[in-house]
């Protein structure tokens, strides 16, 4: 194993030592920040001296090597490049967190020194307060304080979100609001939206024209050909149908039932026609409805005539009066 290490360049050897440190050791925020700096430097050195091929973004490779997210690696990289020694010292001491140090690194040296002194003195320096200070400075002298109102927040869709120092999660109206999505649309996007609107309007007009033509060519009520359908019904339903208690039929629509068609309903008992029958009109149809098996329909019926009405006793005995 020693022989293999001796064959490695210094950069590759260091990379081997650094790789996986984030997996095998519990590191502080400062130690991870230093690990990012050392790993990045070793990768660059290996690329220059040994021809190491690096594919994709450097920070993604570093993140994978030290078991950290690419976002946090980018923050640590910013701290390594822009934070003053005082800020780094407070990060090392644990008086500042990664986010606070990252936000502080965006300020000038004097402001970073002031933040470091507060942290060293034991003050609770919050990352949010530093971020607000960064936003104020970035906006400059022309910054105008927005005045948000009410409950539902517009801040997250505002073009000025990053620079605003009073953004909230409850803003409903603001005098500085600019819709980010609308303001940053390209000419191509606007053109595409205009064409989509034209297409929708054209489609709507064509549909309206087709509907109008369809209505014009609908057959008149007098020209519709109604059919009579002959059905079997069980004896137990006969009295309920003629009394109006059962004013519907659940049927498989294999006969092309239509509202206005008529039914001749023949009573069957024990597999034989009793001789009794009911004439009824279909006055309503329900089909293609949630809960109905596909291909089935419910027919609303109105009895127009019937034959052989008998008493319940006669029905049970099988007697038929025609």
């Amino acid at each position: 194993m020693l022989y293999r290490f001796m064959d490695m360049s210094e950069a590759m050897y260091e990379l081997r030592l650094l790789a996986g440190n984030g997996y095998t050791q519990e590191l502080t925020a400062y130690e991870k920040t230093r690990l990012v700096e050392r790993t990045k430097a070793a990768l660059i050195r290996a690329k220059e001296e040994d021809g190491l091929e690096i594919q994709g973004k450097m920070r993604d490779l570093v993140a994978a090597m030290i078991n950290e997210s690419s976002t946090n690696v980018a923050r640590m990289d910013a701290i390594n490049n822009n934070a003053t020694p005082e800020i780094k010292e407070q990060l090392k001491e644990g008086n500042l967190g990664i986010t606070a140090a990252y936000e502080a690194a965006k300020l000038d040296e004097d402001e970073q020194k002031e933040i470091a002194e507060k942290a060293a003195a034991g003050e609770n320096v919050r990352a949010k307060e530093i971020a607000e200070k960064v936003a104020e400075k970035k906006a400059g002298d022309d910054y105008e304080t927005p005045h948000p109102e009410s409950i539902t927040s517009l801040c997250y869709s505002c073009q000025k979100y990053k620079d605003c120092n009073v953004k909230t999660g409850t803003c409903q109206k603001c005098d500085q609001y600019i819709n980010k999505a609308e303001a940053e649309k390209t000419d191509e996007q606007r053109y595409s939206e205009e064409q989509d609107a034209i297409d929708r309007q054209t489609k709507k007009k064509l549909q309206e024209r087709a509907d109008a033509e369809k209505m014009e060519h609908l057959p008149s009520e007098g020209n519709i050909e109604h059919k009579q359908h002959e059905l079997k019904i069980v004896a137990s339903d006969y009295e309920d149908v003629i009394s109006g208690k059962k004013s519907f039929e659940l049927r498989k629509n294999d006969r092309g039932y239509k509202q206005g068609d008529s039914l001749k309903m023949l009573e069957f008992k024990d597999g034989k026609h009793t001789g009794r029958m009911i004439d009824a009109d279909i006055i309503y149809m329900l089909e293609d409805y949630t809960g109905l098996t596909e291909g089935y329909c419910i027919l609303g019926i109105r009895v127009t005539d019937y034959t052989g009405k008998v008493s319940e006793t006669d029905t049970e005995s099988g007697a038929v009066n025609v």
Side-chain angles (χ1 to χ4, degrees):
M1 185 66 68
L2 179 61
Y3 176 77
R4 290 179 61 187
F5 285 168
M6 291 176 62
D7 286 346
M8 291 183 183
S9 66
E10 291 184 11
M12 293 300 294
Y13 179 63
E14 185 175 10
L15 273 178
R16 188 181 183 91
L17 293 177
L18 293 172
N21 277 3
Y23 292 88
T24 59
Q25 300 181 39
E26 189 68 30
L27 304 178
T28 65
Y30 176 77
E31 289 170 340
K32 276 203 170 185
T33 302
R34 288 284 295 122
L35 181 60
V36 167
E37 185 176 36
R38 291 181 60 192
T39 303
K40 183 179 178 181
L43 283 169
I44 294 173
R45 186 178 175 187
K47 179 181 179 181
E48 294 174 350
E49 297 179 2
D50 304 309
L52 178 67
E53 184 177 350
I54 299 176
Q55 298 180 346
K57 294 181 179 180
M58 175 75 75
R59 72 178 183 185
D60 292 339
L61 179 56
V62 173
M65 292 179 65
I66 69 170
N67 189 30
E68 189 56 78
S69 71
S70 295
T71 300
N72 278 344
V73 167
R75 289 184 173 190
M76 295 175 196
D77 200 27
I79 293 171
N80 288 326
N81 294 333
N82 304 315
T84 61
E86 291 84 1
I87 290 294
K88 292 178 180 178
E89 181 63 26
Q90 294 310 308
L91 177 63
K92 181 179 181 179
E93 295 297 323
N95 297 326
L96 288 177
I98 284 285
T99 303
Y102 167 68
E103 292 295 340
K106 299 176 184 178
L107 299 172
D108 59 37
E109 291 186 8
D110 290 340
E111 290 169 315
Q112 289 193 47
K113 183 178 180 180
E114 181 181 347
I115 291 171
E117 289 174 352
K118 288 182 179 180
E123 292 187 32
N124 183 18
V125 182
R126 300 173 59 192
K128 182 179 179 181
E129 294 172 355
I130 303 174
E132 289 174 355
K133 189 171 185 179
V134 171
E136 282 185 29
K137 185 173 182 180
K138 186 176 179 181
D141 296 335
D142 296 332
Y143 183 78
E144 297 181 32
T145 302
H147 301 89
E149 300 177 3
S150 196
I151 299 172
T152 306
S153 182
L154 295 173
C155 294
Y156 303 119
S157 63
C158 183
Q159 191 181 36
K160 296 184 176 181
Y161 179 81
K162 290 184 179 180
D163 299 333
C164 180
N165 65 348
V166 293
K167 50 182 174 278
T168 71
T170 57
C171 174
Q172 186 179 30
K173 186 177 180 182
C174 179
D175 58 1
Q176 298 296 312
Y177 176 75
I178 298 176
N179 187 294
K180 177 179 173 64
E182 187 64 31
E184 296 182 359
K185 283 180 182 176
T186 64
D187 291 339
E188 290 78 7
Q189 287 175 316
R190 295 184 190 280
Y191 175 78
S192 178
E193 288 181 356
E194 290 172 0
Q195 292 303 307
D196 289 343
I198 293 172
D199 290 344
R200 287 193 299 270
Q201 192 65 24
T202 301
K203 184 178 180 180
K204 181 180 178 182
K205 289 182 178 179
L206 290 174
Q207 186 62 51
E208 290 174 351
R209 183 183 300 173
D211 291 342
E213 291 178 355
K214 185 177 180 181
M215 292 299 294
E216 289 176 3
H217 293 89
L218 282 176
S220 62
E221 184 67 24
N223 294 330
I224 296 177
E225 183 180 350
H226 294 299
K227 297 179 181 179
Q228 184 181 67
H229 307 276
E230 192 172 284
L231 304 176
K232 296 178 181 179
I233 62 170
V234 295
S236 58
D237 285 348
Y238 187 89
E239 296 294 337
D240 288 341
V241 172
I242 63 176
S243 69
K245 184 177 180 180
K246 184 175 184 290
S247 58
F248 64 91
E249 283 289 316
L250 173 61
R251 295 280 172 168
K252 184 174 183 180
N253 194 2
D254 53 359
R255 304 191 184 192
Y257 298 113
K258 290 185 176 62
Q259 185 174 327
D261 286 356
S262 61
L263 304 175
K264 185 169 288 293
M265 308 169 73
L266 308 179
E267 181 190 38
F268 273 70
K269 187 174 183 179
D270 298 328
K272 296 180 181 181
H273 180 213
T274 65
R276 297 198 298 180
M277 62 187 68
I278 301 171
D279 290 326
D281 291 334
I282 299 175
I283 60 174
Y284 181 78
M285 271 192 69
L286 181 65
E287 55 185 338
D288 298 329
Y289 191 78
T290 302
L292 273 177
T293 302
E294 185 177 354
Y296 280 76
C297 64
I298 295 176
L299 307 176
I301 60 174
R302 180 174 56 213
V303 175
T304 59
D305 196 12
Y306 56 90
T307 60
K309 182 178 181 181
V310 296
S311 67
E312 184 176 342
T313 304
D314 293 334
T315 302
E316 290 176 353
S317 64
V320 177
N321 294 325
V322 180

